[in-house]
Amino acid sequence: MKGVQVIDHPLVQARLTRLRDEHTPHPEFRRLLGEIAGSLVYEATRNLELKPFRLRTPLVAVTGVALQREVLLVPVLRAGLGMLDGALALLPNARVGCIGLRRDEKTLEAEGYLESLPPRLNRCDVLGLDPMLATGGSAIAAAKLLRERGARELAFVHVLAAPEGVKALRRAVPGVRIVTAALDDGLDSRGYILPGLGDAGDRCFGC
Ligand code: PRP
Ligand code: URA
């Protein structure tokens, strides 16, 4: 599907199957979610800009590279928190901002309850972390807020995405990159992704 990068690596797909399994208990779910997040972030950062700089090995002078911009990780609470440690394992110098959103179970509208972001997001490569892209309401609210705060280089990393959510996010916030482990079939009448993995926040935190 246009505008979405699906990471079909065997190590990601085998872990994703464990996440989907209704019998996977929350400690294992949380561990797997973090591990998958690391793999997805690895791919999502593949094209980050680099800047050259000079250094010496113990033997000679060489030109090395460093990331051109700081990376800002933005977990969308709650479930996005389950992806944070896996992302930080790859990007230990990243800054972390938080956006708190909860989906109203009746209207499926995303309601914001927390914003904690550093200033000058235009200086960062920004990665939104949220396991689920369902109707797209939450990701759209998060992406719009990040754009308002100056984010230009913006990607969202999801474990599962529904085609409805991908379309809606791309339409509402053009230019956002979407990286996911799977593009599922669609949504049920309650806005859950099918086949999906259930409620990511509940399964991650055991409540
Ligand atoms: C889940 C998920 C996403 C959102 C996706 O969060 O983590 O943020 O639903 O659905 P959408 O694409 O239709 O908006 P939820 O609102 O259940 O909150 P939680 O993470 O606190 O459980
Ligand atoms: N949020 C979830 O946690 N799971 C879904 O399937 C859809 C939205």
Side-chain angles (χ1 to χ4, degrees):
M1 185 178 183
K2 207 171 157 204
V4 60
Q5 184 183 358
V6 178
I7 308 303
D8 59 358
H9 193 291
L11 298 183
V12 170
Q13 295 304 316
R15 284 176 170 80
L16 175 55
T17 298
R18 297 289 304 137
L19 284 190
R20 290 190 192 276
D21 187 337
E22 64 177 343
H23 297 300
T24 299
H26 71 270
E28 186 184 354
F29 187 97
R30 196 157 53 216
R31 175 178 61 77
L32 291 163
L33 182 57
E35 290 171 1
I36 291 179
S39 301
L40 298 180
V41 166
Y42 182 77
E43 293 296 337
T45 50
R46 181 175 286 282
N47 295 321
L48 289 188
E49 262 180 64
L50 295 171
K51 60 180 175 199
F53 73 98
R54 294 293 288 170
L55 71 152
R56 286 193 62 83
T57 75
L59 302 174
V60 290
V62 288
T63 300
V65 292
L67 295 184
Q68 174 74 29
R69 289 180 288 275
E70 282 189 313
V71 175
L72 174 70
L73 299 171
V74 184
V76 177
L77 275 47
R78 270 179 316 168
L81 278 181
M83 300 173 74
L84 183 60
D85 283 352
L88 281 171
L90 291 186
L91 294 161
N93 294 326
R95 291 177 189 272
V96 178
C98 289
I99 295 177
L101 292 170
R102 84 168 64 77
R103 214 170 62 143
D104 182 300
E105 291 302 327
K106 291 208 177 69
T107 64
L108 301 185
E109 300 277 322
E111 294 168 356
Y113 60 86
L114 176 83
E115 176 193 336
S116 175
L117 297 168
R120 296 194 294 279
L121 297 197
N122 58 327
R123 297 198 313 190
C124 300
D125 285 292
V126 181
L127 288 183
L129 306 175
D130 189 335
M132 311 302 273
L133 178 63
T135 64
S138 305
I140 289 170
K144 283 187 169 169
L145 180 62
L146 291 166
R147 281 272 198 256
E148 275 167 33
R149 298 289 178 268
R152 288 201 305 255
E153 299 299 327
L154 180 56
F156 268 75
V157 180
H158 303 283
V159 172
L160 289 184
E164 294 89 330
V166 172
K167 271 190 218 135
L169 177 55
R170 293 190 70 230
R171 197 178 317 118
V173 190
V176 176
R177 285 184 56 219
I178 304 170
V179 176
T180 185
L183 191 58
D184 270 9
D185 297 341
L187 301 174
D188 73 6
S189 58
R190 296 179 309 146
Y192 276 84
I193 298 178
L194 290 172
L197 52 75
D199 187 307
D202 288 1
R203 295 202 60 200
C204 181
F205 296 112
C207 52

